[in-house]
Structures are given as structure tokens and as C-alpha cells.
Amino acid sequence: MPERKRVAVLADSDTRWKWGALTARRLVPDHQLTGFLLRGRATPTARQLGEVGVRADRLSEVTCAEFLAEIERERYDVVVLALVGGAVQAVLHGARALWPDPARRPVLVTGYVGVVYEKLADGLLLRHGADLVLANSRHDAERFRAVYEGVGADASAVTETALPFLGGAPYEPAGSRAHTVVFAVQPSVPDSRADRAYLLERAAGHARLHPGREVLIKLRSRPGEHTTHLEEQPYQRLAERIPGGLPANCRLVYGNMGEVLDGTDLLVTVSSTAALESLHRSIPTAVLTDLGIREALGNHHFLGSGCLASWDQIDSGLLPEGDPVWLAAQGVLPAQGGPAVQDGLPAQGGPAAQGAGPAAGADAYAYAVARAKVAALVAATRLPAPAPYYTRTTAPGYLPGILARHHLAPDGTPLPGAVRPAAGESRLRRRLRAHLREAARGAYRHGVQRVAPVIRRLGEL
């Protein structure tokens, strides 16, 4: 029996952990998964990880330098970097410092967790140097290659795939159950208190207008938790300020988005990736235009989708359906039903477990090219040194600062003291350091969500 491949996923938030772990499943179906959480402001809590529902054989919290020491010490076949661009760049330069010449090293994979609507060039160039840069659609793959080719960089790493968490059964109308509207909120879109309060009030107003419907406000995190983006104005606190409170048929909910979508009849959002999950299952989906169609909101990404709508139109009964041509270009193909799926993969013991393929549904082929590339690279005796576009020659005023934030020198080697030796440190000292980190994170999150808004309001900033 072939030896299971060893895969490491390094993630810096709950959403990116989900993307990274599910991407690993798609790329290397039979593997041993070791998870690492990059220490930082968005390091997920145990509750957030439980809600994501993707588990690893082992999971630990590390710094960038500690992770580099790990992949040098342990033999991994594939490393998935589910991180912001700067952190990806740091790991790539660290890997180049570890393997400056062709050598037996892990295959380095990175990509994006969802809709790419801002900082396209910056984010992509920070990811350049990975062996595979995954694009979630044909549209994204074309844009990614254009950026790399535009600066004269090698674009061969760009590989078209699909969002790994597209899955679930096709939509079936409510029938005898209550019609359910889900408003999928986002931590930072929109960012102003007034705009977020407006959207919440419109959702509550829809519930009052349609008392026979259930309106669910799907939240990303609890107060004090952080996700990929900072949330300065949590909807939980805004809901407390609604006169009379939320109507009886409108409530705040948490949980796995796929499970929430199982009972959804209309998904409403500003620009959440949840819209793509919903459209994949042919659930009516509305991308809100109430605050305009603007790059800052990300809803401009949905131009041509057939889903742009306002709360007024939703109140009047509109149930938008996705445009098939737009959906195909975005890699969002209709779900086909069949075997039970979880996060786009057959349930344990299903066809994939029997070797019949790693994914179910119309997008089963989406990862075929990526899987073939990874398999060929893993089988290679030696791989060339990672070669990021950004170097001390191309970006001498930018790159050193990025590396320094992750305690790496300009050549990618760890700064003195960046890696603490585990041997010789008492358990009490480790626990004390962990408690201090949690206290510091709590103070930071309190400052972001409580103190900063007050200062801006008092200073009329």
C-alpha cells in the first residue's frame, strides 16, 4: 500500500484554515494532514475552529520562523500556505534560504480564500514564487497571469481550480417549512457603523414585512473574536440598539455556512463568498446594491451575475437567479446531487474513499490539473529553489520590511532569537507565555472594537 503523503497547512485565520485544509484534501486526497496556525491578531479560537469543522491529525500555533524550522526538520511532501500575501512572501523567502539550490523540498502551494476584488497586483506579487498559485476560476486565472506577465515574471505557477468548499445538495424550495432568508454579514464590509446599522434594520424590516418568513443574520464571529478582516462594529451590538429589538422571526445565528445553506431559500449579502456557495447550489441569491455598487464594497465583482438587487426589490418578492455564463466564468457550476457531500467532498466511506475520485458534482474535474502538477512535483527528485518576484533588487524598499515583520532577515534567515528552543523551557513558563499572548490579544481586540470607535467619534475622524 502506498505511503500516505504528508501535507502541512499554515493558516492565519479560521476562514483560511478551512480553505487550506480543504484545498489539501483536493490536491492530495489520501494524506496525513498537519495543521499550523500562524500566531497573530486573527489566530482562531477553539470555537471558531470547531465551527469550521475541518480537523487535522495535529494542530499547533507557530510563528513564521518556527514553521520554517519545522519544515526543515520534518519531511513534508506538500505545504499549503493559507495566509495573507505578506506572510506568504515571508515563508517563500524563508524556504529559499533553506533550499538555495535544487533540492528535495516540499511543494509550495498558495492561493485565495474567496472573491479577489482588491489589491490584485500587490497580493499576487507577494504570492509569486510558490510552485502553484491557485486561481478559483477561469476569470481569476486570466487576471493572475496578466499581472505576472505584466512585470515579466514567470506565470506558469498559476493554476485554475475552484473554491474547495463549494458543495452541498442542490436547492429545493421550502414547501411546507417556513421560507428562510439568510443575510450573510461580513466583518468589514461595509465598515461604517451607520451603513451596518442600516443593513441590519433592513433585514429586520423584511422580517416585519413578511411575518411568515424566518430571517437569519448569519454572523462570522462572536464579540472579541477576529476573522480574516477586523470587525469594529459587530452586528450583535448593533442589534442591541434596535428600538424594541429584533422581531420574533429574525435572529442572529452562528454555525457552518454549508449547514446554514441547507435550509436557505434566499441568500442576501453585500459581497461575501457565501454568495458563490449559494449560487453553486442554485439558491436564489441577492447581492445588495443599497449602498451602491463600489469597489470598496466588493459587490462590483458580481456585475453581470444577475444577482444585484436592493432590499426594496427583495421586500417586493424578487428572487434573483445567477446568470449561467457568468457562473461558468467564475468556476461556479451547478451542484448535481448524488452522494452526500461535506464541503464539496463525498462523505467518509463514499466514492472518494473507495478511490473513485476526490470530489463529487459538476466541478469534480476542477482540481485535475492541479493534482497532476502536485503529483509530478512530489515525484521529482529535486525541485529548484523558490524564486519570488520580489527580491532585494526588485523591491529593496518593500521586501525587507515584510520579512522583518515576521522576524526574518533580508536574506530570509530567522533573526536571532526568532526561534525559541523548546528544550529546557518549563511547562509553567510555556503556559505563562500562552496566557500573556491571550491577554494581549484580548486587549487588542477590545481596543479595536470598543476604544477605537469611541476615539474616532469623539475626534470626528
Side-chain angles (χ1 to χ4, degrees):
M1 185 175 180
E3 185 180 354
R4 296 173 71 199
K5 301 301 182 185
R6 295 190 66 192
V7 179
V9 173
L10 177 62
D12 57 10
S13 71
D14 58 339
T15 308
R16 291 200 181 94
W17 164 249
K18 179 179 179 179
W19 177 86
L22 293 177
T23 294
R25 283 193 197 176
R26 293 287 189 119
L27 293 176
V28 190
D30 184 23
H31 67 263
Q32 178 184 342
L33 176 61
T34 304
F36 298 91
L37 302 176
L38 186 65
R39 190 170 296 150
R41 64 160 183 82
T43 305
T45 64
R47 188 206 67 81
Q48 287 175 297
L49 291 173
E51 185 174 287
V52 167
V54 185
R55 291 176 174 80
D57 298 302
R58 178 165 64 91
L59 187 64
S60 55
E61 186 178 313
V62 295
T63 64
C64 180
E66 289 168 347
F67 180 73
L68 290 168
E70 167 76 14
I71 63 174
E72 179 185 26
R73 182 174 58 250
E74 298 290 334
R75 172 79 175 90
Y76 290 101
D77 298 288
V78 179
V79 169
V80 179
L81 302 174
L83 307 164
V84 295
V88 172
Q89 185 74 181
V91 175
L92 293 175
H93 277 273
R96 182 175 177 82
L98 292 176
W99 298 287
D101 300 307
R104 183 82 174 173
R105 63 166 177 84
V107 178
L108 303 172
V109 180
T110 191
Y112 286 88
V113 74
V115 174
V116 184
Y117 64 83
E118 61 179 355
K119 299 180 181 178
L120 177 64
D122 187 31
L124 276 172
L125 293 174
L126 289 170
R127 288 167 171 82
H128 187 268
D131 298 301
L132 273 76
V133 178
L134 303 182
N136 295 323
S137 66
R138 182 175 71 247
H139 173 70
D140 279 352
E142 292 169 353
R143 293 194 298 159
F144 291 7
R145 293 190 186 100
V147 169
Y148 288 160
E149 292 167 356
V151 298
D154 181 15
S156 61
V158 176
T159 307
E160 181 184 340
T161 55
L163 285 170
F165 40 76
L166 295 183
Y171 170 65
E172 293 183 5
S176 59
R177 66 176 170 82
H179 185 95
T180 301
V181 178
V182 173
F183 175 34
V185 308
Q186 296 159 262
S188 60
V189 178
D191 59 359
S192 79
R193 177 180 175 180
D195 288 345
R196 293 169 80 80
Y198 165 82
L199 293 178
L200 182 60
E201 178 54 47
R202 289 306 304 258
H206 184 81
R208 296 187 194 98
L209 187 64
H210 299 277
R213 293 185 174 186
E214 286 286 333
V215 178
L216 307 180
I217 313 298
K218 171 62 176 70
L219 302 171
R220 283 288 311 281
S221 60
R222 296 183 186 275
E225 296 177 338
H226 276 180
T227 58
T228 303
H229 303 283
L230 291 171
E231 185 171 24
E232 293 188 8
Q233 302 290 344
Y235 280 93
Q236 297 94 320
R237 296 199 177 109
L238 296 175
E240 294 171 358
R241 298 187 177 99
I242 292 180
L246 295 173
N249 61 327
C250 181
R251 55 194 173 91
L252 309 178
V253 299
Y254 301 92
N256 180 281
M257 178 55 76
E259 294 174 0
V260 173
L261 288 175
D262 287 341
T264 298
D265 298 290
L266 172 63
L267 188 284
V268 181
T269 188
V270 175
S271 58
S272 170
T273 303
L276 301 181
E277 296 183 62
S278 175
L279 287 165
H280 171 72
R281 298 171 67 163
S282 301
I283 298 170
T285 303
V287 175
L288 292 172
T289 62
D290 291 57
L291 303 176
I293 301 172
R294 298 182 281 148
E295 283 80 358
L297 297 176
N299 54 359
H300 71 292
H301 179 84
F302 293 87
L303 290 168
S305 68
C307 296
L308 295 168
S310 69
W311 271 116
D312 281 352
Q313 292 171 302
I314 295 168
D315 288 346
S316 299
L318 180 66
L319 296 172
E321 296 182 2
D323 178 78
V325 175
W326 186 89
L327 292 175
Q330 299 299 322
V332 184
L333 301 175
Q336 299 295 305
V341 295
Q342 172 63 35
D343 292 315
L345 293 171
Q348 293 296 317
Q354 305 300 322
D363 65 339
Y365 73 91
Y367 275 76
V369 172
R371 282 195 299 274
K373 279 188 174 184
V374 168
L377 291 169
V378 168
T381 305
R382 296 186 302 170
L383 294 178
Y389 170 74
Y390 283 141
T391 65
R392 283 182 284 179
T393 299
T394 59
Y398 185 40
L399 179 63
I402 292 172
L403 299 182
R405 282 196 292 275
H406 294 278
H407 304 289
L408 300 181
D411 64 354
T413 58
L415 293 170
V419 181
R420 290 192 178 93
E425 186 177 46
S426 69
R427 181 179 299 178
L428 177 61
R429 190 176 183 84
R430 288 197 299 271
R431 285 184 177 179
L432 178 60
R433 184 176 290 117
H435 284 308
L436 287 173
R437 279 199 302 268
E438 284 305 310
R441 287 174 187 163
Y444 175 79
R445 291 162 178 166
H446 179 79
V448 168
Q449 295 184 334
R450 293 286 194 177
V451 180
V454 172
I455 291 174
R456 273 198 295 274
R457 190 163 62 252
L458 292 176
E460 299 181 357
L461 303 177

